[in-house]
Amino acid sequence: MTLEPATGVTAIAPATVGNVAVGFDVLGHALAGPYDRVTLRRVEKPGVRIVRIGGIATDLPRDPALNTAGRSVLELCSACGTDLGFEIEIDKGIPLGSGMGGSGASAVAAVVAANALLTHRLELSELLEFALAGESAATGARVLDNVAPGLFGGLVLALPGDPVLIERVPVPQGLRCVLAHPELQIATRAARDMLAKQCPLPAAVTQAAHLAGLIAGCYAGNLELIARALEDVLIEPQRAQLVPGFADVKRAACDAGALGCSLSGSGPSLFAWSRSADASRVARAMAEAFAEHGIAAQCFVSRIDAPGAHCV
Amino acid sequence: MTLEPATGVTAIAPATVGNVAVGFDVLGHALAGPYDRVTLRRVEKPGVRIVRIGGIATDLPRDPALNTAGRSVLELCSACGTDLGFEIEIDKGIPLGSGMGGSGASAVAAVVAANALLTHRLELSELLEFALAGESAATGARVLDNVAPGLFGGLVLALPGDPVLIERVPVPQGLRCVLAHPELQIATRAARDMLAKQCPLPAAVTQAAHLAGLIAGCYAGNLELIARALEDVLIEPQRAQLVPGFADVKRAACDAGALGCSLSGSGPSLFAWSRSADASRVARAMAEAFAEHGIAAQCFVSRIDAPGAHCV
């Protein structure tokens, strides 16, 4: 690992919608909205140090092994066999525990920044493992459905295995994602632990058909198929209770024209896909439905085919 | 239901590969190989009668309500509110209990022939329900993964629900299906009853990712993705024991260049997908592997995008 002159490099990584209703752990897409920003600087003293955490969340671990950005850089350095020194600054833009992939975004931004400091840069696909290892500092799991779309951008299907296989799925023109972020927090780990370890075979079959239908609908530009497919029969029924007003917000989104609506990742944010012409109305409807339950929610409209992490 | 002059109409429906490894109950494709042939003739005497069953299997129910072809015509007549008379002749070309969708093919051919006798013909998609109802006379289930590709042709994804949503998935040029039919019989109903009612969540997630990967790989023409995706982690492990030598035949197919190999439907036939250049070698390898277990197997190579049912 040879370094270019010791200037700092800053990368940003976007918030993401994990699962996309029917692709639990394997499907996700980037959002053009909040993002995390990570700056790496080469220093004389060996090792990885986190020197500043700013933005909207500052109470993150400063031990690099416990911090998602720190750990991903440690893993990258270890794989490259270097003992060079790095200072890391983190600016959180993605709320923690929001279901928008915040822990993964810091890891993704960190490896993209680190890669820019390598003389022989790695391919994005080679960075995936380091970002996954970094993210696991927060969740204890391999969160492909957030890390992969954060790194590659757009709508990404990830086939588990060694190596992970990534396929970027085209998104029909004119589709948008509405993201509603209520003022609540859910710990991903707890939301994962609450899931039943077994599922009924018919539900697994229907869920798989829905995921396949969503993929086919995206390739074929078939919005009717997408609307039918965007229905989570496996995970959402177990997690919906975590978000007060979930059923009402979902119904409001669909009544306003959304093709489908479900939890973003493990929530509490909800996402909806809609035609672009309906997106503002869907966003208003979701915010109003949350408000009727006494919950303030920030809503925004994003492309689904949003850019992945990149240096700035 | 008004009838054209009382000439007979003959339709054929192809054998099919149900499940295609990872799409249990929802994915299937047609085969250019064996087929069932059904002739319908209008007669004066009301009601539906089966007047002849020929071909390679003659011990089928002659009571139309218990026969897949007869029942599908009964259902169609009932829906159209007619009490006209029909005689049905069935020529079985698809071996029963072979895993090639024989019971569904007779039902599909029967509704396609009956439709040709209607003055106001129904759309193929409107015939699906009658063919499904007919097929259920044999299996007691709705066997979408055989009936839908038999009716529409090609590789078909079916989303359960009311109505069923059908999407024909494009198949990359130069891919072939090798079908190996060993001299064994498996009853679909028994193969269904043996499946566990619950499945581990991780297996369901991997299987769904594989199905989605197969669909994406077909649209994108990505053979590497198709090869990774064609691996059934959910159903095959429970059913492989039904076919002596299964593991050896599968290994032989893959060693000979197949992208993947699994049970066709509930077996005992095995199918493999391969590049067309490898297909003959794969077929030979599968036949030889069955032979080493003392089992004769007929093998043939087919397009995957094979035609669906049609009048002849």
PDB file of all heavy atoms in Angstrom, chain A residues 231-249:
ATOM      1  N   GLU A 231     -45.032  -6.240  -1.626  1.00  0.00           N
ATOM      2  CA  GLU A 231     -45.812  -6.562  -0.435  1.00  0.00           C
ATOM      3  C   GLU A 231     -45.058  -7.611   0.373  1.00  0.00           C
ATOM      4  O   GLU A 231     -44.908  -8.754  -0.062  1.00  0.00           O
ATOM      5  CB  GLU A 231     -47.199  -7.074  -0.843  1.00  0.00           C
ATOM      6  CG  GLU A 231     -48.129  -7.372   0.311  1.00  0.00           C
ATOM      7  CD  GLU A 231     -48.461  -6.124   1.130  1.00  0.00           C
ATOM      8  OE1 GLU A 231     -48.597  -5.043   0.532  1.00  0.00           O
ATOM      9  OE2 GLU A 231     -48.560  -6.232   2.364  1.00  0.00           O
ATOM     10  N   ASP A 232     -44.592  -7.211   1.540  1.00  0.00           N
ATOM     11  CA  ASP A 232     -43.784  -8.069   2.404  1.00  0.00           C
ATOM     12  C   ASP A 232     -44.706  -8.923   3.272  1.00  0.00           C
ATOM     13  O   ASP A 232     -45.364  -8.404   4.168  1.00  0.00           O
ATOM     14  CB  ASP A 232     -42.882  -7.177   3.263  1.00  0.00           C
ATOM     15  CG  ASP A 232     -42.067  -7.966   4.284  1.00  0.00           C
ATOM     16  OD1 ASP A 232     -42.176  -9.211   4.327  1.00  0.00           O
ATOM     17  OD2 ASP A 232     -41.316  -7.324   5.033  1.00  0.00           O
ATOM     18  N   VAL A 233     -44.749 -10.217   3.010  1.00  0.00           N
ATOM     19  CA  VAL A 233     -45.609 -11.109   3.798  1.00  0.00           C
ATOM     20  C   VAL A 233     -44.825 -11.827   4.889  1.00  0.00           C
ATOM     21  O   VAL A 233     -45.396 -12.597   5.663  1.00  0.00           O
ATOM     22  CB  VAL A 233     -46.295 -12.171   2.900  1.00  0.00           C
ATOM     23  CG1 VAL A 233     -47.144 -11.491   1.823  1.00  0.00           C
ATOM     24  CG2 VAL A 233     -45.271 -13.113   2.263  1.00  0.00           C
ATOM     25  N   LEU A 234     -43.509 -11.566   4.969  1.00  0.00           N
ATOM     26  CA  LEU A 234     -42.654 -12.370   5.856  1.00  0.00           C
ATOM     27  C   LEU A 234     -42.133 -11.570   7.056  1.00  0.00           C
ATOM     28  O   LEU A 234     -42.244 -12.002   8.198  1.00  0.00           O
ATOM     29  CB  LEU A 234     -41.470 -12.897   5.024  1.00  0.00           C
ATOM     30  CG  LEU A 234     -40.679 -14.083   5.553  1.00  0.00           C
ATOM     31  CD1 LEU A 234     -41.579 -15.260   5.806  1.00  0.00           C
ATOM     32  CD2 LEU A 234     -39.572 -14.443   4.571  1.00  0.00           C
ATOM     33  N   ILE A 235     -41.555 -10.423   6.791  1.00  0.00           N
ATOM     34  CA  ILE A 235     -40.848  -9.671   7.833  1.00  0.00           C
ATOM     35  C   ILE A 235     -41.744  -8.563   8.404  1.00  0.00           C
ATOM     36  O   ILE A 235     -41.842  -8.384   9.622  1.00  0.00           O
ATOM     37  CB  ILE A 235     -39.543  -9.071   7.268  1.00  0.00           C
ATOM     38  CG1 ILE A 235     -38.678 -10.165   6.629  1.00  0.00           C
ATOM     39  CG2 ILE A 235     -38.796  -8.319   8.356  1.00  0.00           C
ATOM     40  CD1 ILE A 235     -38.189 -11.228   7.575  1.00  0.00           C
ATOM     41  N   GLU A 236     -42.369  -7.818   7.535  1.00  0.00           N
ATOM     42  CA  GLU A 236     -43.192  -6.685   7.970  1.00  0.00           C
ATOM     43  C   GLU A 236     -44.235  -7.076   9.017  1.00  0.00           C
ATOM     44  O   GLU A 236     -44.417  -6.338  10.004  1.00  0.00           O
ATOM     45  CB  GLU A 236     -43.855  -6.039   6.749  1.00  0.00           C
ATOM     46  CG  GLU A 236     -44.727  -4.841   7.045  1.00  0.00           C
ATOM     47  CD  GLU A 236     -45.442  -4.359   5.777  1.00  0.00           C
ATOM     48  OE1 GLU A 236     -44.756  -3.990   4.809  1.00  0.00           O
ATOM     49  OE2 GLU A 236     -46.692  -4.380   5.762  1.00  0.00           O
ATOM     50  N   PRO A 237     -44.926  -8.222   8.846  1.00  0.00           N
ATOM     51  CA  PRO A 237     -45.924  -8.572   9.871  1.00  0.00           C
ATOM     52  C   PRO A 237     -45.316  -8.736  11.264  1.00  0.00           C
ATOM     53  O   PRO A 237     -46.006  -8.540  12.262  1.00  0.00           O
ATOM     54  CB  PRO A 237     -46.490  -9.909   9.365  1.00  0.00           C
ATOM     55  CG  PRO A 237     -46.257  -9.898   7.887  1.00  0.00           C
ATOM     56  CD  PRO A 237     -44.950  -9.169   7.708  1.00  0.00           C
ATOM     57  N   GLN A 238     -44.028  -9.063  11.332  1.00  0.00           N
ATOM     58  CA  GLN A 238     -43.387  -9.240  12.636  1.00  0.00           C
ATOM     59  C   GLN A 238     -42.875  -7.922  13.205  1.00  0.00           C
ATOM     60  O   GLN A 238     -42.704  -7.790  14.412  1.00  0.00           O
ATOM     61  CB  GLN A 238     -42.216 -10.227  12.521  1.00  0.00           C
ATOM     62  CG  GLN A 238     -42.617 -11.612  12.030  1.00  0.00           C
ATOM     63  CD  GLN A 238     -41.438 -12.560  11.925  1.00  0.00           C
ATOM     64  OE1 GLN A 238     -40.798 -12.906  12.913  1.00  0.00           O
ATOM     65  NE2 GLN A 238     -41.122 -12.980  10.704  1.00  0.00           N
ATOM     66  N   ARG A 239     -42.555  -6.973  12.327  1.00  0.00           N
ATOM     67  CA  ARG A 239     -41.905  -5.745  12.780  1.00  0.00           C
ATOM     68  C   ARG A 239     -42.819  -4.520  12.804  1.00  0.00           C
ATOM     69  O   ARG A 239     -42.448  -3.496  13.373  1.00  0.00           O
ATOM     70  CB  ARG A 239     -40.707  -5.427  11.877  1.00  0.00           C
ATOM     71  CG  ARG A 239     -39.482  -6.272  12.153  1.00  0.00           C
ATOM     72  CD  ARG A 239     -38.376  -5.891  11.199  1.00  0.00           C
ATOM     73  NE  ARG A 239     -37.095  -6.491  11.591  1.00  0.00           N
ATOM     74  CZ  ARG A 239     -36.005  -6.481  10.831  1.00  0.00           C
ATOM     75  NH1 ARG A 239     -36.033  -5.885   9.647  1.00  0.00           N
ATOM     76  NH2 ARG A 239     -34.886  -7.038  11.249  1.00  0.00           N
ATOM     77  N   ALA A 240     -43.967  -4.615  12.153  1.00  0.00           N
ATOM     78  CA  ALA A 240     -44.810  -3.422  12.007  1.00  0.00           C
ATOM     79  C   ALA A 240     -45.151  -2.814  13.363  1.00  0.00           C
ATOM     80  O   ALA A 240     -45.267  -1.594  13.507  1.00  0.00           O
ATOM     81  CB  ALA A 240     -46.080  -3.778  11.245  1.00  0.00           C
ATOM     82  N   GLN A 241     -45.290  -3.680  14.363  1.00  0.00           N
ATOM     83  CA  GLN A 241     -45.649  -3.223  15.709  1.00  0.00           C
ATOM     84  C   GLN A 241     -44.616  -2.262  16.313  1.00  0.00           C
ATOM     85  O   GLN A 241     -44.917  -1.547  17.279  1.00  0.00           O
ATOM     86  CB  GLN A 241     -45.790  -4.437  16.633  1.00  0.00           C
ATOM     87  CG  GLN A 241     -44.512  -5.285  16.646  1.00  0.00           C
ATOM     88  CD  GLN A 241     -44.564  -6.461  17.606  1.00  0.00           C
ATOM     89  OE1 GLN A 241     -44.656  -6.294  18.806  1.00  0.00           O
ATOM     90  NE2 GLN A 241     -44.514  -7.652  17.042  1.00  0.00           N
ATOM     91  N   LEU A 242     -43.394  -2.260  15.759  1.00  0.00           N
ATOM     92  CA  LEU A 242     -42.348  -1.382  16.291  1.00  0.00           C
ATOM     93  C   LEU A 242     -42.633   0.091  15.993  1.00  0.00           C
ATOM     94  O   LEU A 242     -42.076   0.972  16.645  1.00  0.00           O
ATOM     95  CB  LEU A 242     -40.982  -1.741  15.691  1.00  0.00           C
ATOM     96  CG  LEU A 242     -40.408  -3.116  16.040  1.00  0.00           C
ATOM     97  CD1 LEU A 242     -39.121  -3.358  15.255  1.00  0.00           C
ATOM     98  CD2 LEU A 242     -40.142  -3.218  17.539  1.00  0.00           C
ATOM     99  N   VAL A 243     -43.461   0.341  14.987  1.00  0.00           N
ATOM    100  CA  VAL A 243     -43.717   1.718  14.554  1.00  0.00           C
ATOM    101  C   VAL A 243     -45.183   2.070  14.817  1.00  0.00           C
ATOM    102  O   VAL A 243     -46.071   1.577  14.117  1.00  0.00           O
ATOM    103  CB  VAL A 243     -43.399   1.891  13.052  1.00  0.00           C
ATOM    104  CG1 VAL A 243     -43.620   3.339  12.624  1.00  0.00           C
ATOM    105  CG2 VAL A 243     -41.971   1.443  12.762  1.00  0.00           C
ATOM    106  N   PRO A 244     -45.439   2.932  15.805  1.00  0.00           N
ATOM    107  CA  PRO A 244     -46.834   3.330  16.066  1.00  0.00           C
ATOM    108  C   PRO A 244     -47.439   3.961  14.808  1.00  0.00           C
ATOM    109  O   PRO A 244     -46.804   4.793  14.159  1.00  0.00           O
ATOM    110  CB  PRO A 244     -46.694   4.367  17.191  1.00  0.00           C
ATOM    111  CG  PRO A 244     -45.341   4.124  17.795  1.00  0.00           C
ATOM    112  CD  PRO A 244     -44.480   3.588  16.702  1.00  0.00           C
ATOM    113  N   GLY A 245     -48.613   3.509  14.459  1.00  0.00           N
ATOM    114  CA  GLY A 245     -49.295   4.078  13.295  1.00  0.00           C
ATOM    115  C   GLY A 245     -48.886   3.462  11.976  1.00  0.00           C
ATOM    116  O   GLY A 245     -49.316   3.927  10.911  1.00  0.00           O
ATOM    117  N   PHE A 246     -48.082   2.400  12.032  1.00  0.00           N
ATOM    118  CA  PHE A 246     -47.565   1.824  10.788  1.00  0.00           C
ATOM    119  C   PHE A 246     -48.663   1.578   9.757  1.00  0.00           C
ATOM    120  O   PHE A 246     -48.570   2.000   8.604  1.00  0.00           O
ATOM    121  CB  PHE A 246     -46.815   0.508  11.064  1.00  0.00           C
ATOM    122  CG  PHE A 246     -46.371  -0.191   9.809  1.00  0.00           C
ATOM    123  CD1 PHE A 246     -45.159   0.123   9.221  1.00  0.00           C
ATOM    124  CD2 PHE A 246     -47.180  -1.137   9.180  1.00  0.00           C
ATOM    125  CE1 PHE A 246     -44.756  -0.489   8.040  1.00  0.00           C
ATOM    126  CE2 PHE A 246     -46.787  -1.747   7.998  1.00  0.00           C
ATOM    127  CZ  PHE A 246     -45.571  -1.420   7.427  1.00  0.00           C
ATOM    128  N   ALA A 247     -49.716   0.867  10.172  1.00  0.00           N
ATOM    129  CA  ALA A 247     -50.761   0.477   9.211  1.00  0.00           C
ATOM    130  C   ALA A 247     -51.423   1.706   8.595  1.00  0.00           C
ATOM    131  O   ALA A 247     -51.730   1.725   7.392  1.00  0.00           O
ATOM    132  CB  ALA A 247     -51.805  -0.406   9.893  1.00  0.00           C
ATOM    133  N   ASP A 248     -51.629   2.753   9.419  1.00  0.00           N
ATOM    134  CA  ASP A 248     -52.287   3.953   8.901  1.00  0.00           C
ATOM    135  C   ASP A 248     -51.389   4.692   7.910  1.00  0.00           C
ATOM    136  O   ASP A 248     -51.865   5.210   6.896  1.00  0.00           O
ATOM    137  CB  ASP A 248     -52.668   4.885  10.055  1.00  0.00           C
ATOM    138  CG  ASP A 248     -53.793   4.292  10.908  1.00  0.00           C
ATOM    139  OD1 ASP A 248     -54.554   3.461  10.360  1.00  0.00           O
ATOM    140  OD2 ASP A 248     -53.888   4.645  12.087  1.00  0.00           O
ATOM    141  N   VAL A 249     -50.085   4.759   8.211  1.00  0.00           N
ATOM    142  CA  VAL A 249     -49.171   5.461   7.305  1.00  0.00           C
ATOM    143  C   VAL A 249     -49.073   4.708   5.984  1.00  0.00           C
ATOM    144  O   VAL A 249     -49.104   5.304   4.897  1.00  0.00           O
ATOM    145  CB  VAL A 249     -47.777   5.619   7.953  1.00  0.00           C
ATOM    146  CG1 VAL A 249     -46.814   6.295   6.979  1.00  0.00           C
ATOM    147  CG2 VAL A 249     -47.874   6.413   9.245  1.00  0.00           C
TER     148      VAL A 249
END
